[in-house]
Amino acid sequence: MRVDPNAKDMARRGELLRNPDLRTGMGAAAQARTVREFSPNAYGRKLNSFFGHEVEPRLETGMNRVAN
């Protein structure tokens, strides 16, 4: 089965190839979104929102203990 590429998608890809400022801007926007959405602080905010109260971190759990 042969799939013909969408002309608009091809034009957008061509624009990215020709425009380094656009690539740089898109990369910066992606990095900012990653930090905003997937950082440890963002994860904590999402947990707090889910549970409806602030979740306190626990450093000493059974999984973190070192066996002697």
Side-chain angles (χ1 to χ4, degrees):
M1 176 181 202
R2 183 182 169 140
V3 178
D4 291 300
N6 182 316
K8 287 182 181 181
D9 289 341
M10 293 301 288
R12 289 181 189 137
R13 290 182 189 135
E15 178 63 21
L16 282 171
L17 289 172
R18 290 186 301 275
N19 189 337
D21 291 335
L22 180 59
R23 291 192 306 266
T24 300
M26 289 179 72
Q31 183 178 18
R33 179 176 181 259
T34 300
V35 169
R36 186 176 63 249
E37 297 291 328
F38 304 107
S39 69
N41 286 338
Y43 183 68
R45 285 191 306 271
K46 290 175 186 179
L47 279 177
N48 292 338
S49 176
F50 177 78
F51 287 110
H53 60 84
E54 187 156 337
V55 177
E56 293 185 30
R58 294 187 181 215
L59 299 176
E60 292 297 322
T61 65
M63 295 178 67
N64 291 338
R65 290 188 190 135
V66 177
N68 291 343

Coordinates of all heavy atoms in Angstrom, one line a residue:
M1 N 0.9 -1.2 0.0 CA 0.0 0.0 0.0 C 0.9 1.2 0.0 O 1.8 1.4 0.8 CB -0.9 0.0 1.2 CG -1.8 1.2 1.4 SD -2.7 1.0 2.9 CE -4.0 2.1 2.5
R2 N 0.7 2.1 -0.9 CA 1.4 3.4 -1.0 C 0.7 4.5 -0.4 O -0.5 4.7 -0.7 CB 1.8 3.6 -2.5 CG 2.7 4.8 -2.6 CD 3.0 5.1 -4.1 NE 3.6 6.4 -4.1 CZ 4.5 6.7 -4.9 NH1 5.1 5.8 -5.7 NH2 5.0 7.9 -4.9
V3 N 1.3 5.3 0.4 CA 0.7 6.4 1.0 C 1.3 7.7 0.5 O 2.5 7.9 0.6 CB 0.8 6.4 2.6 CG1 0.1 7.6 3.2 CG2 0.1 5.1 3.1
D4 N 0.5 8.6 -0.1 CA 1.1 9.9 -0.6 C 1.2 10.9 0.6 O 0.2 11.0 1.3 CB 0.2 10.4 -1.7 CG 0.3 9.6 -2.9 OD1 1.4 9.5 -3.5 OD2 -0.8 9.1 -3.3
P5 N 2.3 11.5 0.7 CA 2.4 12.5 1.8 C 1.5 13.7 1.6 O 1.2 14.1 0.5 CB 3.9 12.9 1.7 CG 4.3 12.6 0.4 CD 3.5 11.4 -0.1
N6 N 1.1 14.2 2.7 CA 0.2 15.4 2.7 C 1.0 16.6 2.3 O 2.1 16.9 2.8 CB -0.4 15.6 4.1 CG -1.3 16.7 4.2 OD1 -1.1 17.8 3.7 ND2 -2.5 16.5 4.9
A7 N 0.5 17.4 1.3 CA 1.3 18.5 0.8 C 1.6 19.6 1.9 O 2.6 20.2 1.9 CB 0.5 19.2 -0.4
K8 N 0.6 19.8 2.8 CA 0.8 20.8 3.9 C 1.9 20.3 4.8 O 2.8 21.1 5.2 CB -0.5 21.0 4.6 CG -1.5 21.8 3.9 CD -2.7 22.1 4.8 CE -3.8 22.9 4.0 NZ -4.9 23.1 4.8
D9 N 1.9 19.0 5.1 CA 3.0 18.5 6.0 C 4.4 18.6 5.4 O 5.3 19.0 6.0 CB 2.7 17.0 6.4 CG 1.6 16.9 7.3 OD1 1.2 17.9 8.0 OD2 1.0 15.7 7.4
M10 N 4.4 18.4 4.1 CA 5.7 18.5 3.4 C 6.2 19.9 3.3 O 7.4 20.2 3.5 CB 5.6 17.9 1.9 CG 5.3 16.4 1.9 SD 6.6 15.5 2.6 CE 7.9 15.7 1.4
A11 N 5.2 20.9 3.2 CA 5.6 22.3 3.2 C 6.1 22.7 4.5 O 7.1 23.4 4.6 CB 4.4 23.1 2.8
R12 N 5.5 22.2 5.6 CA 6.0 22.5 6.9 C 7.4 22.0 7.2 O 8.2 22.6 7.8 CB 5.0 22.0 8.0 CG 3.7 22.7 8.0 CD 2.8 22.1 9.1 NE 1.5 22.7 9.0 CZ 0.3 22.0 9.0 NH1 0.4 20.7 9.3 NH2 -0.8 22.6 8.9
R13 N 7.6 20.8 6.7 CA 8.9 20.2 6.9 C 10.0 21.0 6.1 O 11.1 21.2 6.6 CB 8.9 18.7 6.4 CG 8.1 17.8 7.4 CD 8.2 16.4 6.9 NE 7.2 15.6 7.7 CZ 6.4 14.7 7.2 NH1 6.4 14.5 5.9 NH2 5.6 14.1 8.0
G14 N 9.6 21.4 4.9 CA 10.5 22.2 4.1 C 10.8 23.5 4.8 O 12.0 24.0 4.8
E15 N 9.8 24.1 5.4 CA 10.1 25.4 6.2 C 11.0 25.2 7.3 O 11.9 26.0 7.6 CB 8.7 25.9 6.7 CG 8.8 27.2 7.5 CD 9.4 28.4 6.7 OE1 9.4 28.4 5.5 OE2 9.9 29.3 7.4
L16 N 10.9 24.0 8.0 CA 11.8 23.7 9.1 C 13.2 23.6 8.6 O 14.2 24.0 9.2 CB 11.4 22.5 9.9 CG 10.2 22.6 10.8 CD1 9.8 21.3 11.3 CD2 10.6 23.5 12.0
L17 N 13.4 22.9 7.4 CA 14.7 22.8 6.9 C 15.4 24.1 6.5 O 16.6 24.3 6.6 CB 14.6 21.8 5.7 CG 14.3 20.4 5.9 CD1 14.1 19.6 4.7 CD2 15.5 19.7 6.7
R18 N 14.5 25.0 6.0 CA 15.1 26.3 5.5 C 15.2 27.3 6.6 O 15.9 28.3 6.4 CB 14.1 26.9 4.5 CG 14.2 26.1 3.2 CD 13.3 26.8 2.1 NE 11.9 27.0 2.5 CZ 11.0 26.1 2.3 NH1 11.3 24.9 1.8 NH2 9.7 26.3 2.7
N19 N 14.6 27.2 7.8 CA 14.5 28.2 8.8 C 15.1 27.8 10.1 O 14.4 27.2 11.0 CB 13.0 28.6 8.9 CG 12.9 29.9 9.8 OD1 13.7 30.2 10.6 ND2 11.7 30.5 9.6
P20 N 16.4 28.1 10.3 CA 17.0 27.7 11.6 C 16.4 28.4 12.8 O 16.4 27.8 13.9 CB 18.5 28.0 11.4 CG 18.5 29.0 10.3 CD 17.3 28.8 9.4
D21 N 15.9 29.6 12.7 CA 15.3 30.3 13.8 C 14.0 29.6 14.2 O 13.7 29.5 15.4 CB 15.0 31.8 13.4 CG 16.3 32.6 13.3 OD1 17.3 32.2 13.9 OD2 16.2 33.6 12.6
L22 N 13.3 29.1 13.3 CA 12.0 28.4 13.6 C 12.4 27.1 14.3 O 11.7 26.7 15.3 CB 11.3 28.0 12.3 CG 9.9 27.3 12.5 CD1 9.0 28.0 13.3 CD2 9.3 27.0 11.1
R23 N 13.4 26.4 13.9 CA 13.8 25.1 14.6 C 14.3 25.4 16.0 O 13.9 24.7 16.9 CB 15.0 24.5 13.8 CG 14.6 23.9 12.5 CD 15.7 23.0 11.9 NE 17.0 23.6 11.8 CZ 17.4 24.2 10.7 NH1 16.7 24.3 9.6 NH2 18.7 24.7 10.7
T24 N 15.0 26.5 16.1 CA 15.5 26.9 17.5 C 14.4 27.2 18.4 O 14.3 26.8 19.5 CB 16.5 28.1 17.4 OG1 17.6 27.7 16.6 CG2 17.0 28.5 18.7
G25 N 13.4 28.0 17.9 CA 12.2 28.4 18.7 C 11.4 27.2 19.0 O 10.9 27.1 20.2
M26 N 11.2 26.3 18.1 CA 10.4 25.1 18.4 C 11.1 24.2 19.5 O 10.5 23.6 20.3 CB 10.1 24.3 17.1 CG 9.2 25.0 16.2 SD 8.9 24.0 14.7 CE 7.9 22.6 15.4
G27 N 12.5 24.1 19.4 CA 13.2 23.3 20.3 C 13.1 24.0 21.7 O 12.9 23.2 22.7
A28 N 13.2 25.3 21.8 CA 13.1 26.0 23.1 C 11.7 25.8 23.7 O 11.6 25.6 24.9 CB 13.4 27.4 22.9
A29 N 10.7 25.9 22.8 CA 9.3 25.7 23.3 C 9.1 24.2 23.8 O 8.5 24.0 24.9 CB 8.3 26.0 22.2
A30 N 9.7 23.3 23.1 CA 9.6 21.9 23.5 C 10.3 21.6 24.9 O 9.8 20.9 25.7 CB 10.1 21.0 22.5
Q31 N 11.4 22.2 25.0 CA 12.2 22.1 26.3 C 11.4 22.7 27.4 O 11.3 22.1 28.5 CB 13.6 22.7 26.2 CG 14.4 22.5 27.4 CD 15.8 23.1 27.3 OE1 16.1 23.9 26.4 NE2 16.7 22.6 28.1
A32 N 10.9 23.9 27.2 CA 10.1 24.6 28.3 C 8.9 23.7 28.7 O 8.5 23.6 29.8 CB 9.7 26.0 27.8
R33 N 8.2 23.2 27.7 CA 7.0 22.3 28.0 C 7.4 21.1 28.7 O 6.8 20.7 29.7 CB 6.3 21.9 26.7 CG 5.1 21.0 27.0 CD 4.4 20.6 25.7 NE 3.2 19.8 26.1 CZ 3.2 18.5 25.9 NH1 4.2 17.9 25.4 NH2 2.2 17.8 26.3
T34 N 8.6 20.5 28.4 CA 9.0 19.3 29.1 C 9.3 19.6 30.5 O 8.9 18.9 31.4 CB 10.3 18.8 28.4 OG1 10.0 18.4 27.0 CG2 10.8 17.6 29.1
V35 N 10.0 20.7 30.8 CA 10.2 21.1 32.2 C 8.9 21.4 32.9 O 8.7 21.0 34.1 CB 11.2 22.4 32.2 CG1 11.3 22.9 33.6 CG2 12.6 22.0 31.7
R36 N 8.0 22.1 32.3 CA 6.8 22.5 32.9 C 5.9 21.3 33.2 O 5.3 21.2 34.2 CB 6.1 23.5 31.9 CG 4.8 24.1 32.5 CD 4.2 25.2 31.5 NE 3.8 24.6 30.3 CZ 4.4 24.8 29.1 NH1 5.4 25.6 29.0 NH2 3.9 24.2 28.0
E37 N 5.8 20.4 32.3 CA 4.9 19.2 32.4 C 5.5 18.0 33.1 O 4.7 17.2 33.6 CB 4.4 18.9 31.0 CG 3.6 19.9 30.3 CD 2.3 20.2 31.0 OE1 1.7 19.3 31.6 OE2 1.8 21.4 30.9
F38 N 6.8 17.8 33.0 CA 7.4 16.5 33.4 C 8.5 16.6 34.5 O 9.1 15.6 34.8 CB 7.9 15.8 32.2 CG 6.8 15.6 31.1 CD1 6.8 16.3 30.0 CD2 5.8 14.7 31.4 CE1 5.8 16.1 29.0 CE2 4.8 14.5 30.4 CZ 4.8 15.2 29.2
S39 N 8.7 17.8 35.0 CA 9.7 17.9 36.1 C 9.2 17.3 37.4 O 8.0 17.1 37.5 CB 10.0 19.4 36.3 OG 8.9 20.1 36.9
P40 N 10.1 17.1 38.3 CA 9.7 16.6 39.6 C 8.6 17.5 40.3 O 7.7 17.0 40.9 CB 11.0 16.5 40.4 CG 12.0 16.3 39.4 CD 11.6 17.1 38.2
N41 N 8.8 18.8 40.1 CA 7.8 19.8 40.7 C 6.5 19.6 40.0 O 5.4 19.7 40.7 CB 8.3 21.2 40.6 CG 9.4 21.5 41.6 OD1 9.6 20.8 42.6 ND2 10.2 22.5 41.2
A42 N 6.5 19.5 38.7 CA 5.2 19.3 38.0 C 4.5 18.0 38.4 O 3.3 17.9 38.6 CB 5.4 19.3 36.5
Y43 N 5.3 16.9 38.6 CA 4.8 15.7 39.1 C 4.1 15.8 40.4 O 3.0 15.3 40.7 CB 5.9 14.6 39.1 CG 5.4 13.2 39.5 CD1 4.6 12.5 38.6 CD2 5.8 12.7 40.7 CE1 4.2 11.2 39.0 CE2 5.4 11.4 41.0 CZ 4.6 10.7 40.2 OH 4.2 9.4 40.5
G44 N 4.8 16.5 41.3 CA 4.3 16.8 42.7 C 3.0 17.5 42.6 O 2.0 17.2 43.3
R45 N 2.9 18.6 41.8 CA 1.7 19.3 41.6 C 0.5 18.5 41.1 O -0.6 18.5 41.6 CB 1.9 20.5 40.7 CG 2.7 21.7 41.2 CD 2.6 22.9 40.3 NE 3.0 22.6 39.0 CZ 4.3 22.7 38.5 NH1 5.2 23.1 39.3 NH2 4.5 22.5 37.2
K46 N 0.8 17.6 40.2 CA -0.2 16.7 39.7 C -0.7 15.7 40.7 O -1.9 15.4 40.8 CB 0.3 15.9 38.4 CG 0.5 16.9 37.2 CD 1.1 16.2 36.1 CE 1.4 17.2 35.0 NZ 2.0 16.6 33.8
L47 N 0.3 15.2 41.5 CA -0.1 14.3 42.6 C -1.0 15.0 43.6 O -2.0 14.5 44.1 CB 1.1 13.7 43.3 CG 1.8 12.5 42.7 CD1 3.1 12.2 43.5 CD2 0.9 11.3 42.6
N48 N -0.6 16.2 44.0 CA -1.3 17.0 45.0 C -2.7 17.3 44.5 O -3.7 17.2 45.2 CB -0.6 18.3 45.3 CG 0.7 18.1 46.1 OD1 0.9 17.0 46.7 ND2 1.6 19.0 46.0
S49 N -2.8 17.6 43.2 CA -4.1 17.8 42.6 C -5.0 16.6 42.6 O -6.2 16.6 42.9 CB -4.0 18.3 41.2 OG -5.2 18.5 40.5
F50 N -4.4 15.4 42.3 CA -5.1 14.2 42.2 C -5.6 13.8 43.6 O -6.8 13.4 43.8 CB -4.2 13.1 41.7 CG -4.8 11.7 41.7 CD1 -5.8 11.4 40.7 CD2 -4.5 10.8 42.7 CE1 -6.4 10.1 40.7 CE2 -5.1 9.5 42.7 CZ -6.0 9.2 41.7
F51 N -4.8 13.9 44.6 CA -5.2 13.5 46.0 C -6.0 14.6 46.7 O -6.6 14.3 47.8 CB -4.0 13.1 46.8 CG -3.4 11.8 46.4 CD1 -2.2 11.7 45.8 CD2 -4.1 10.6 46.6 CE1 -1.6 10.5 45.4 CE2 -3.6 9.4 46.2 CZ -2.3 9.3 45.6
G52 N -6.0 15.8 46.2 CA -6.8 16.8 46.8 C -6.1 17.5 48.0 O -6.7 18.2 48.7
H53 N -4.8 17.1 48.3 CA -4.1 17.7 49.4 C -2.6 17.6 49.1 O -2.2 16.8 48.2 CB -4.4 17.1 50.7 CG -4.1 15.6 50.8 ND1 -2.9 15.1 51.0 CD2 -4.9 14.5 50.5 CE1 -2.9 13.8 51.0 NE2 -4.1 13.4 50.7
E54 N -1.8 18.3 49.8 CA -0.4 18.2 49.5 C 0.2 16.9 50.0 O -0.1 16.4 51.1 CB 0.4 19.3 50.2 CG 1.8 19.4 49.8 CD 2.4 20.8 50.0 OE1 1.7 21.8 50.0 OE2 3.6 20.8 50.1
V55 N 0.9 16.2 49.1 CA 1.6 15.0 49.4 C 3.0 15.3 49.9 O 3.8 16.0 49.2 CB 1.6 14.1 48.2 CG1 2.4 12.8 48.5 CG2 0.2 13.8 47.7
E56 N 3.3 14.8 51.1 CA 4.7 15.0 51.6 C 5.6 13.9 51.1 O 5.3 12.7 51.1 CB 4.7 15.0 53.1 CG 3.9 16.2 53.7 CD 4.0 16.2 55.2 OE1 5.0 15.8 55.7 OE2 3.0 16.7 55.8
P57 N 6.8 14.3 50.6 CA 7.7 13.3 50.2 C 8.3 12.4 51.3 O 8.4 12.9 52.4 CB 8.9 14.1 49.5 CG 8.8 15.4 50.1 CD 7.3 15.6 50.5
R58 N 8.5 11.2 51.1 CA 9.0 10.3 52.1 C 10.3 9.7 51.5 O 10.3 8.9 50.6 CB 8.1 9.2 52.5 CG 6.8 9.8 53.2 CD 6.0 8.7 53.7 NE 4.8 9.3 54.3 CZ 4.2 8.8 55.3 NH1 4.6 7.7 55.9 NH2 3.2 9.4 55.8
L59 N 11.4 10.0 52.2 CA 12.7 9.5 51.7 C 13.0 8.1 52.2 O 13.7 7.4 51.5 CB 13.8 10.5 52.1 CG 13.7 11.9 51.5 CD1 14.8 12.8 52.1 CD2 13.7 11.9 50.0
E60 N 12.5 7.8 53.3 CA 12.7 6.5 53.9 C 11.5 5.6 53.6 O 10.5 5.6 54.3 CB 13.0 6.6 55.4 CG 14.3 7.3 55.8 CD 15.5 6.5 55.3 OE1 15.5 5.3 55.3 OE2 16.4 7.2 54.8
T61 N 11.7 4.8 52.6 CA 10.6 3.7 52.3 C 11.3 2.4 52.3 O 12.5 2.3 52.2 CB 9.9 4.0 51.0 OG1 10.9 3.9 50.0 CG2 9.3 5.4 51.0
G62 N 10.5 1.4 52.3 CA 11.1 0.0 52.3 C 11.9 -0.2 51.0 O 12.9 -0.9 51.1
M63 N 11.6 0.4 49.9 CA 12.3 0.2 48.7 C 13.6 0.9 48.7 O 14.5 0.6 48.0 CB 11.5 0.7 47.5 CG 10.2 -0.2 47.3 SD 9.2 0.4 46.0 CE 10.2 0.0 44.6
N64 N 13.8 2.0 49.5 CA 15.0 2.8 49.5 C 16.0 2.3 50.5 O 17.1 2.8 50.5 CB 14.7 4.3 49.7 CG 13.9 4.9 48.6 OD1 14.0 4.4 47.5 ND2 13.3 6.0 48.8
R65 N 15.6 1.4 51.4 CA 16.5 1.0 52.5 C 17.6 0.1 51.9 O 17.3 -0.7 51.1 CB 15.7 0.2 53.6 CG 14.9 1.2 54.4 CD 14.3 0.4 55.5 NE 13.2 1.3 56.1 CZ 12.1 0.9 56.5 NH1 11.7 -0.4 56.4 NH2 11.2 1.7 57.0
V66 N 18.8 0.3 52.4 CA 19.9 -0.6 52.0 C 20.0 -1.8 53.0 O 20.0 -1.6 54.2 CB 21.2 0.3 52.0 CG1 22.4 -0.6 51.6 CG2 21.1 1.4 51.1
A67 N 20.0 -2.9 52.4 CA 20.1 -4.1 53.2 C 21.5 -4.3 53.6 O 22.5 -4.1 52.9 CB 19.7 -5.4 52.4
N68 N 21.7 -4.7 54.9 CA 23.0 -4.9 55.5 C 23.4 -6.4 55.4 O 22.7 -7.3 55.6 CB 23.1 -4.4 56.9 CG 23.1 -2.9 56.9 OD1 23.3 -2.3 55.9 ND2 22.8 -2.3 58.1

